[in-house]
């Protein structure tokens, strides 16, 4: 009898060890997954009844019930300033501020109290990752997220991409509801959609409309980027011998007539099945409030940007290496050609992917991977989803004949987007200090740790102008092993370690190469 009991006990312990080991393995594997793969795993383990698209009289009750719990209210705080913010006394060009309630430009004055603004965001994973707009969180020194159960938690910025007006932030919570990804390539003009968010200071609000168009470009992101470049030049436009202002904006919006207002920015646009198809970004209006159309960033682009921030700490942008002009009857007449559709290649960058593939000035690009290119926004959005090293098939016309060529995208080596001066208050929560660093991090992989002879570390992947790391010349690529005496292996570890800053000093230990070590003592106020 004792022998039987011992056998059963041994089997039970063995089973527990096996289950525990599997759970640990499963957790590590999940960290390597994309957000879409994590969602698929969740729904495989937790199946939900299929939601059927409405027919006849629309009924969005199920879709709204699925989405609303995962939409959050974001409040951002900006430091008081001794004068007007921005471009020489207040620029009326800042359309994001006009549309979505960011702090309006003020006339110069001796001092200003901290300003606040609001927006929306959508949870995309149960461990607290939230997608919103870049213009909702840029320049903020404090970001608070209110969940639907009224809890208010502080968020840290994982990454920002001004080129698409997207940002990924994170709160330290588990078991959260999230919105399931859809496929923006399957969005059809005329289908019903819902916009969810916190407009005009109201609680969670759902509005309905239809998709009015796809692949729209409004120019709002391009104008915002030009304002940033204008500011960084000290308010002066480039002279003839200076580097011209570069347009890196990617705009291929889903256009909808669902009501979107100030505060909706960063919230989800979903289909009748409750699937995320876009992130609401801006509106076209003569009044600053809803007057017709809203525009959302397609979710297939959102997936790529969010995954890049997790895997690389920054956006990996692949480039074809061309400049082009969108064709139209007027453009065709001016260029003295017969084609009125496609993209006319104006220039091919030396050493770029297109040059290596044999494309030339005067070629007309008509298709990407077999899909017609109707506008420049079509090409830009689809290429931005890809990464350096990815291959695409371009179809182009030369001398009236259509040809195919495979292009291997090259990495965008231009400087990362730059932030303005950070605030100067010394007393910070750990999350505020993290955001003030002005940096992005990813865990150092095992190969990197072995190369440097270290057991812990995060790689600095972004350094934004005006942040602490930029001011103290911390370089991208540096592996940081300890902060304030605490080993760091993730962005969460960095935030946790910053809470231990003493006397307003951050102690950073990094390893630039094997056998060498750098130590920095960075004051939070400088």
């Amino acid at each position: 009898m004792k022998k039987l009991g011992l056998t059963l006990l041994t089997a039970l312990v063995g089973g527990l060890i096996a289950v525990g080991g599997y759970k640990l393995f499963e957790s590590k594997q999940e960290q390597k997954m994309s957000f879409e793969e994590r969602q698929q795993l969740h729904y495989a383990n937790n199946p939900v009844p299929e939601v059927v698209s409405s027919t006849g009289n629309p009924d969005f009750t199920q879709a709204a019930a699925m989405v609303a719990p995962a939409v959050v209210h974001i409040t951002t705080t900006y430091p008081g300033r001794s004068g007007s913010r921005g471009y020489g006394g207040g620029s009326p060009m800042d359309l994001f501020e006009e549309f979505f309630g960011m702090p309006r430009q003020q006339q110069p004055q001796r001092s200003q109290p901290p300003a606040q603004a609001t927006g929306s965001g959508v949870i995309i994973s149960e461990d607290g990752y939230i997608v919103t707009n870049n213009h909702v969180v840029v320049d903020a020194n404090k970001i608070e997220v209110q969940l639907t159960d009224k809890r208010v938690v502080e968020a840290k910025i994982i990454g920002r991409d001004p080129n698409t007006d997207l940002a990924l932030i994170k709160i330290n919570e588990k078991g959260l509801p999230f919105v399931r990804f859809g496929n923006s390539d399957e969005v059809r003009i005329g289908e019903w959609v819902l916009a969810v968010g916190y407009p005009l200071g109201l609680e969670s609000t759902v509005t309905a409309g239809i998709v009015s168009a796809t692949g729209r470009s409004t120019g709002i992101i391009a104008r915002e980027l030009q304002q940033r470049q204008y500011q960084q030049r000290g308010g002066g436009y480039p002279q003839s011998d200076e580097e011209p202002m570069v347009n890196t904006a990617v705009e291929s919006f889903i256009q909808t007539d669902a009501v979107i207002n100030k505060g909706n920015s960063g919230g989800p646009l979903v289909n009748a099945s409750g699937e995320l198809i876009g992130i609401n970004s801006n509106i076209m209006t003569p009044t600053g409030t809803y007057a017709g159309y809203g525009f959302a960033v397609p979710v297939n682009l959102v997936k790529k940007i969010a995954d890049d921030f997790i895997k690389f700490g920054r956006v990996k942008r692949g480039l074809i290496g061309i400049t082009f002009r969108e064709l139209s009857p007027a453009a065709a007449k001016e260029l003295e050609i017969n084609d009125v559709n496609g993209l006319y290649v104006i220039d091919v960058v030396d050493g770029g992917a297109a040059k290596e593939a044999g494309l030339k000035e005067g070629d007309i690009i008509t298709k990407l991977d077999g899909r017609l290119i109707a506008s420049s926004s079509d090409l830009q959005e689809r290429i931005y989803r890809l990464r350096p090293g990815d291959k695409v098939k371009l179809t182009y016309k030369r001398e009236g004949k259509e040809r195919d060529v495979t292009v291997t995208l090259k990495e965008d080596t231009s400087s990362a987007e730059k932030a303005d001066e950070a605030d100067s208050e010394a007393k910070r929560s750990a999350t505020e200090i993290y955001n003030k660093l002005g940096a992005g991090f990813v865990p150092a992989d095992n190969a990197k740790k072995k190369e440097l002879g270290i057991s812990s570390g995060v790689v600095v992947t972004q350094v934004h102008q005006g942040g602490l790391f930029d001011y103290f010349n911390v370089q991208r690529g540096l592996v940081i092993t300890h902060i304030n005496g605490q080993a760091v292996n993730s962005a969460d570890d960095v935030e946790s370690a910053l809470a231990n800053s003493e006397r307003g000093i951050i102690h950073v230990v990094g390893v630039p190469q094997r056998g060498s070590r750098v130590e920095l003592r960075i004051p939070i106020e400088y």
Side-chain angles (χ1 to χ4, degrees):
M1 195 67 180
K2 287 183 179 179
K3 190 173 181 180
L4 178 60
L6 183 60
T7 301
L8 290 173
L9 180 61
T10 303
L12 179 61
V13 171
L16 290 173
I17 292 173
V19 171
Y22 173 75
K23 287 294 183 184
L24 181 62
F25 173 77
E26 185 180 50
S27 177
K28 288 184 176 179
Q29 288 298 108
E30 187 171 346
Q31 292 175 7
K32 298 178 182 178
M33 293 179 179
S34 69
F35 283 109
E36 188 166 26
E37 289 169 339
R38 295 187 200 188
Q39 290 193 0
Q40 289 170 349
L41 177 63
H42 173 86
Y43 284 113
N45 293 331
N46 303 277
V48 294
E50 179 125 3
V51 178
V52 180
S53 296
S54 304
T55 56
N57 294 323
D59 181 357
F60 299 118
T61 54
Q62 284 182 292
M66 292 170 63
V67 174
V71 182
V72 300
H73 190 202
I74 298 174
T75 301
T76 49
T77 303
Y78 302 82
R81 293 174 170 84
S82 57
S84 65
R85 180 172 77 91
Y87 315 94
S91 167
M93 293 173 61
D94 198 334
L95 300 182
F96 284 132
E97 293 188 1
E98 178 69 23
F99 288 161
F100 291 114
M102 294 180 66
R104 297 294 302 275
Q105 303 284 2
Q106 303 290 330
Q107 293 299 320
Q109 47 188 280
R110 290 183 180 275
S111 63
Q112 297 178 28
Q116 284 194 326
T118 62
S120 303
V122 54
I123 303 172
I124 60 169
S125 69
E126 60 184 355
D127 56 346
Y129 285 98
I130 298 168
V131 172
T132 185
N133 286 140
N134 175 65
H135 74 261
V136 170
V137 298
V138 64
D139 298 334
N141 67 334
K142 187 175 184 180
I143 303 167
E144 290 183 319
V145 171
Q146 180 176 316
L147 305 175
T148 51
D149 61 8
K150 304 299 183 183
R151 282 181 294 161
V152 177
V153 290
E154 205 166 343
K156 62 175 177 287
I157 298 172
I158 301 300
R160 297 189 293 106
D161 182 38
N163 294 326
T164 55
D165 191 32
L166 290 174
L168 183 69
I169 63 176
K170 188 177 188 301
I171 58 176
N172 291 327
E173 298 289 334
K174 301 289 185 183
L176 297 171
F178 58 86
V179 179
R180 190 172 189 170
F181 286 137
N183 183 350
S184 51
D185 286 347
E186 296 178 354
V187 170
R188 294 171 296 172
I189 295 173
E191 75 169 282
W192 284 98
V193 290
L194 299 179
V196 189
Y198 291 78
L200 304 175
L202 300 173
E203 294 297 314
S204 179
T205 301
V206 178
T207 58
I210 63 168
V211 172
S212 307
T214 58
R216 284 289 198 230
S217 176
T218 64
I220 188 170
I221 296 178
R223 289 193 289 274
E224 178 74 5
L225 292 175
Q226 286 173 353
Q227 285 183 18
R228 292 276 174 182
Q229 293 179 53
Y230 173 56
Q231 182 193 32
Q232 289 158 14
R233 294 177 190 272
Y237 283 102
Q239 303 299 320
S240 58
D241 58 345
E242 289 182 341
E243 183 182 352
M245 291 188 178
V246 179
N247 179 17
T248 57
V250 177
E251 298 187 21
S252 185
F253 297 119
I254 298 170
Q255 179 181 317
T256 177
D257 64 356
V259 177
I260 296 173
N261 265 307
K262 296 178 182 180
N264 274 116
S265 189
L269 186 72
V270 300
N271 60 22
S273 297
E275 295 173 331
L276 182 66
I277 60 170
I279 297 295
N280 299 319
S281 179
N282 59 85
I283 56 178
M284 185 168 287
T285 168
T287 64
T289 55
Y290 175 76
Y293 295 107
F295 300 88
V297 182
V299 73
N300 287 359
L301 186 56
V302 174
K303 296 175 195 175
K304 190 265 184 181
I305 301 299
D307 286 338
D308 274 5
F309 285 139
I310 294 300
K311 293 177 181 177
F312 311 112
R314 61 188 178 91
V315 176
K316 286 271 194 175
R317 182 173 190 174
L319 297 179
I320 297 177
I322 58 172
T323 56
F324 54 81
R325 180 176 180 180
E326 186 175 317
L327 287 178
S328 65
K333 183 177 180 180
E334 182 182 332
L335 294 166
E336 297 181 347
I337 59 176
N338 295 323
D339 294 273
V340 296
N341 292 300
L343 305 177
Y344 183 88
V345 177
I346 298 172
D347 187 34
V348 181
V349 178
D350 287 336
K355 188 85 168 182
E356 292 182 359
L359 286 171
K360 297 180 180 180
E361 179 183 339
D363 290 341
I364 300 171
I365 297 174
T366 58
K367 296 178 184 177
L368 173 66
D369 290 332
R371 295 182 55 154
L372 285 173
I373 298 297
S375 65
S376 59
S377 60
D378 284 344
L379 181 71
Q380 290 173 318
E381 190 259 339
R382 294 190 67 80
I383 292 297
Y384 206 79
R385 292 190 213 168
L386 304 174
R387 298 189 177 113
D390 287 344
K391 298 180 186 295
V392 295
K393 186 178 79 172
L394 291 180
T395 302
Y396 65 97
K397 283 185 178 180
R398 180 184 296 171
E399 298 175 349
K401 296 181 179 179
E402 205 165 60
R403 314 177 186 201
D404 291 330
V405 65
T406 298
V407 178
T408 303
L409 302 182
K410 294 272 185 100
E411 184 161 9
D412 180 7
T413 56
S414 62
S415 58
E417 96 285 352
K418 299 176 180 179
D420 296 332
E421 258 185 67
D423 59 282
S424 61
E425 293 180 30
K427 197 170 182 180
R428 296 274 180 256
S429 71
T431 305
E432 287 178 281
I433 300 172
Y434 179 100
N435 290 336
K436 193 182 179 188
L437 292 180
F441 307 93
V442 295
D445 58 28
N446 290 333
K448 191 66 175 178
K449 290 178 182 177
K450 186 176 180 181
E451 174 192 336
L452 298 178
I454 56 178
S455 57
S456 64
V458 292
V459 182
V460 179
T461 56
Q462 287 184 311
V463 177
H464 303 304
Q465 183 176 340
L468 284 168
F469 272 21
D470 173 60
Y471 190 87
F472 289 92
N473 201 32
V474 178
Q475 300 295 311
R476 282 176 50 189
L478 177 67
V479 177
I480 295 175
T481 60
H482 292 79
I483 293 179
N484 294 331
Q486 180 177 322
V488 290
N489 286 293
S490 66
D492 284 344
D493 288 348
V494 172
E495 180 187 14
S496 176
L498 290 171
N500 299 323
S501 302
E502 295 183 358
R503 299 180 181 178
I505 300 293
I506 306 167
H507 183 203
V508 177
V509 177
V511 178
Q513 57 189 13
R514 192 180 186 93
S516 65
R517 165 187 168 113
V518 295
E519 289 195 40
L520 299 169
R521 293 186 178 275
I522 300 176
I524 297 170
E525 181 178 14
Y526 63 92

